[in-house]
Amino acid sequence: MTSMSVPKYYSGNAVRQNYFYTPYFKSEPDGVVVLYPNGRDESQRMNHTDAPDSENPNLFSAVASRPMNSKVCRKRLFILLLLLAFLILSVFVAFIFINLILPFYLEHPTSNGFVEAQFWENESDLSETVRLPETNWPTSYDLSLEFNLIYDSPTIQGSVIIKIDTKIPTDYILMHSEVYNIDFDATKMILSSGERVQISNQSVDSKTSFFLIQLETLLPVSKSNELQLKFTSKVSLHPHNWGLYSTDYDLKGGISTQFQPGWARKLFPCFDEPAFKSIFRLNVSHDSRLLVLSNMPKKKNHSVVESGTSLKRNHDQMTEFEATPLMSTYLLGLYIVPKDPEQTKFSFVYNSSLIPGYSFVVRGFLDSKTNYEKGWEDTLVAVLNGTLLWCEQVFGEPYRLPKLDLVWVYHLALGMENWGLITIRSDMSLTMTTMTIIHEILHQWLGNVASIEWWSDIWITEALVTYLEHKIYQGMPFLEQNLYELLLIQGFQTRNDPDALYPEITAPDSHTLLDQTFIVMATYQKGAWLYSGVEKLTSFETVKACSRLFYNQFSTESVNMQKFLALLTECTASKLQTELKDPIGEILMSWLEKGGMPIVSVNKSPDGSLIVAQIPSCKTEEVVWICPEQSALWKIPLFITDYHGTLIGWEYLDEREKTFPGYGEKYQILFNYNLSFPYSVQYSNEIWNDVISGFKAREIDPFQACLIMGDLKNNLDVASCDMYPALKLFEVFDRSDFEFYKMMNPFQFLYFIRANIVVPKNLEKELSTFIWETAQKIQIESFCLEPGNYGVHESNTLACMMFFQNLCHHDMPRCRELVSERGIGHHQSQSVSCDSILVTLVNDANRTTQERVDFMVENLLFDPVLMALIVDRSSLLLLWPDLSQTLMDEVARDGYVTSDQFLRQVLISDPNLNELVATSFLANLTQEVLKRFPVRTNNEEMKPGTAKMYEILSIYSTLIIESSKEVKDIVSTAMEIIEKQIAKLGSNIIPMTLRLKNFDMHTRNQNILIDFLQRRQAKLKD
């Protein structure tokens, strides 16, 4: 999106229409068409009584036959010549515009319209600007930083000289800045001739992080204009504020950088977009007791005396680094820690396989939080060597920099691919570390060299690197494969992320860029499945060849989605294993611009044909919902196999529903074997019976079984199928089956049954017995107690919480024994873990209701999820007044709402409390919210948090299970009120949650479970 502003010399009243002589033809009543000038009054028309009859083919004969004197003829000839000259001039101007000016602006879109020399009329014109104009292009940064990590405050004095290639004359410079302060008096703009350009105005917009410099005269076209700036930056003491940040909440642990997606501007003013590649020359003034690393090797170190620079106290050394190659601002890296002779390190020399004699040093710097098992160094060196070799062979070019450092940092998402200075999170397992290293090494080619044009295109490199990371990891047999498959499945179960892979970036500030760009599961995992689908349609060799073509073609220019899809379509066109109706680029587009994913439902007709349909679905962080875009269609290649992965047939689903004949004798039918495309498969119950038989006969390997059950979990979540397959599985499987298929995680289905379905009171004991017996059979206790399993996925966490609740209810001595065995003690932890759950339940065993309420009130805001573990009907009733008041107070402050988390956890954990919540809380809370948070329809401002409050209410409504007519009526009334208020808010996001709960599917599942429990009762009686 770009903002359009009107230049000052075009402002004012529009040009009036009658300034122009605009002739037109008009038919007279007698059939003659006469030429009139625009604006003539009817009374001024000529009297055409001498016009010939209407049959005369010469329409202008009446005018032509009229006698004229020479003066009139000369006048008319002069007018015609003027018109002719005007026409020729217009054609010439149009030619120049179309052939010279317009192509330039189409190739170099600007953020303020076609007239780049004109500065914005006012700051409000920036409100809708997202991208920087390409008028000024930075070619190099000479960046100097002065700070003292140990003694001084976390303030950095800096200066930067930016060489600018000015492509067209302009009187302003637009860039980014989120630094603490800019010394406007020190700002200088110097031309290549050495002449200084006067600056008329400077301003920083805190909302957009745009830094505007207005010049008094036009900046001429030149490749070596120079901008000089001085500034002050701050080191963030909170690790997750990113930019230049402290690695351990204070400055003693050191500092590191995280500049992706838009945080380089926190350290220094810059053109902070990925397309603006520049050369960086960095020098840092620091205490000599500090280790300072950056992207490039050190050029030299100066002492204060040698450098002749007057530095602050303890700035006794200046480290100058070699110049980087062209790269984006987000790849600039800086790592500073106190020197420690006992710091764990490793290093080796990598010898290129492509260029004899070419080598570089690879070094690793670990921190105290790293705790790997024995043999970790050999493993990491083998992974680094293997990945570097793989990249050289596939991309046909060695690593470009003269050194490669890897530093372990405590506070980090996972890793960051700073060119030549990779950062790795230090408290991960060795498996996660090796995966991260492979990922970041791949980025040294894909992302750092072949790079994106804008953050919307980030999926191109991140998803491709994630896909290739999987392939490289699987090709290293010395690495742990079982845990890797578990992590792969975790990503697979998040395919229905609601966000599109190709998001629209709506604002340029760093917070918006983070929220809208790095949607982890969409950008990384969901995109990786698309590349996996390309592999299925072609081959892995084809994907490698396309990756190499991508690297070679976009090493010198930035890529966007259109360019990449065109490249991918071209390089796969002759390699397809089956005929497709559409090119690969168009197939991928059906996923790129839509959130969520399709559910592919598969049924068998009586003649054996497969009836296949697609249903849109997606998922939010809060709750699950069927997508409202019911008209959305994906283009889905269907890879149909038997239970062993042998191809049976290719089909193509690009309509709502299709019938595919020829599968009548095939009872072994699987779709989407080995993650071909990001869609979920929903089999009919008839096909499910065959699949479960395949499980029982061990014809389906555990990894595929886990993927199949992941589909079932997704479909249950979005209420597109019933729970028959899960119950059938528990009915058929014995302990040995669950041991063989332990990766499939059946615990999540037990949780779904317990948390989502209310049964009659006469069957509650039977349901409790069934859950308890099944938990024993599938060995959920050992699963929940085993490190690495618990908490890997949210469904595991919820299932383990439910199990420990049941365990302490049925066998409190065993709970106390576990607390003693694990040496937990009775200290109340404030984080959700296996130990904290056990301690919470054991400590609560002997509390009275009032003691429980007092304890919950004290800890509710610190750990609402653990408090939801011990709530019961009596304590919940006592909590209502304080809970509702606390909830509304928190929302009114528009802060982080923790009491809301507590109630949501109660609602999704215990359906027997839902009726109580509906009758005692929801109706009253809705009325209180209406009074306290009125939605105004005029121009008066609403109270802070109003939209959030109605969103919370709508989610509560959809989480409450229908267990009686009274509950249904209360929920329906509340939802009607909430919907009206939300409509006034003008929100198109919140109402989605109101369509969440499919009551018909709930009733169906309720009937299935009741029938299942009744059959269990009858079998026990027999």
Side-chain angles (χ1 to χ4, degrees), residues 314-338:
N314 295 310
H315 290 156
D316 58 352
Q317 184 166 303
M318 180 184 291
T319 299
E320 185 178 350
F321 295 93
E322 293 181 10
T324 71
L326 285 171
M327 68 180 192
S328 304
T329 49
Y330 76 87
L331 294 173
L332 183 64
L334 188 61
Y335 175 70
I336 305 177
V337 292

Side-chain angles (χ1 to χ4, degrees), residues 149-168:
L149 184 61
I150 298 177
Y151 298 106
D152 289 348
S153 65
T155 301
I156 302 167
Q157 299 300 321
S159 64
V160 62
I161 300 173
I162 308 174
K163 291 288 186 182
I164 294 177
D165 178 3
T166 303
K167 298 185 178 297
I168 63 173

